[in-house]
Amino acid sequence: QVQLVESGGGSVQPGDSLRLSCAASGFIWDYYAIGWFRQAPGKEREGISCIGIQRRDTFYADSVKGRFTISVDNAKKTMYLQMTSLKPEDTAAYYCAATRAWPTPLAQASAYSYWGQGTQVTVSS
């Protein structure tokens, strides 16, 4: 069975940092794109950071540029999202995802086939 499991979420204060992890199992690590998405209550799911392997490109949403960094450890089959300078508006459930397709645009959620269950990030003072 394909499984993606996120971890690292929690409740923090504005300006704090968190690192989210997503460990994969149950499938060959031959994805074409991986990414992180988030969804706040009452809002649609949005792509915040993705990597396209075939095209060697990286996407960051404008709202997180300069604050979040995506990375992947292929040997461990794990992807990460390093988040710094967190803001209350970053509060959301965060999901990792992977696909064997070639998303166009890279952060198109519907193109991703494998999803984690989400980890909650809450930023408040």
Side-chain angles (χ1 to χ4, degrees), residues 101-120:
W102 299 316
T104 304
L106 189 58
Q108 182 178 327
S110 62
Y112 287 78
S113 301
Y114 309 108
W115 293 84
Q117 295 301 307
T119 185
Q120 180 68 37

Side-chain angles (χ1 to χ4, degrees), residues 19-22 36 69-73 76 78-82:
R19 189 181 75 164
L20 306 184
S21 299
C22 174
W36 288 93
T69 303
I70 189 172
S71 62
V72 59
D73 185 330
K76 295 182 178 180
T78 302
M79 66 182 82
Y80 305 93
L81 184 68
Q82 179 66 50

Side-chain angles (χ1 to χ4, degrees), residues 7-13 18 20 83 86 91-92 119-123:
S7 63
S11 297
V12 298
Q13 296 181 333
L18 283 174
L20 306 184
M83 306 184 294
L86 284 163
T91 296
T119 185
Q120 180 68 37
V121 173
T122 301
V123 185

Side-chain angles (χ1 to χ4, degrees), residues 14-93:
D16 285 354
S17 299
L18 283 174
R19 189 181 75 164
L20 306 184
S21 299
C22 174
S25 64
F27 66 98
I28 299 173
W29 195 241
D30 62 350
Y31 58 86
Y32 292 115
I34 57 172
W36 288 93
F37 298 76
R38 69 184 182 188
Q39 187 167 22
K43 299 180 65 177
E44 65 182 7
R45 186 168 298 187
E46 64 171 341
I48 55 174
S49 188
C50 305
I51 298 175
I53 305 303
Q54 289 287 320
R55 300 173 183 175
R56 300 177 181 178
D57 53 348
T58 304
F59 165 85
Y60 288 98
D62 290 341
S63 59
V64 306
K65 285 182 179 178
R67 300 190 297 118
F68 291 10
T69 303
I70 189 172
S71 62
V72 59
D73 185 330
N74 287 309
K76 295 182 178 180
K77 298 172 63 174
T78 302
M79 66 182 82
Y80 305 93
L81 184 68
Q82 179 66 50
M83 306 184 294
T84 63
S85 301
L86 284 163
K87 305 174 181 179
E89 49 263 46
D90 294 320
T91 296

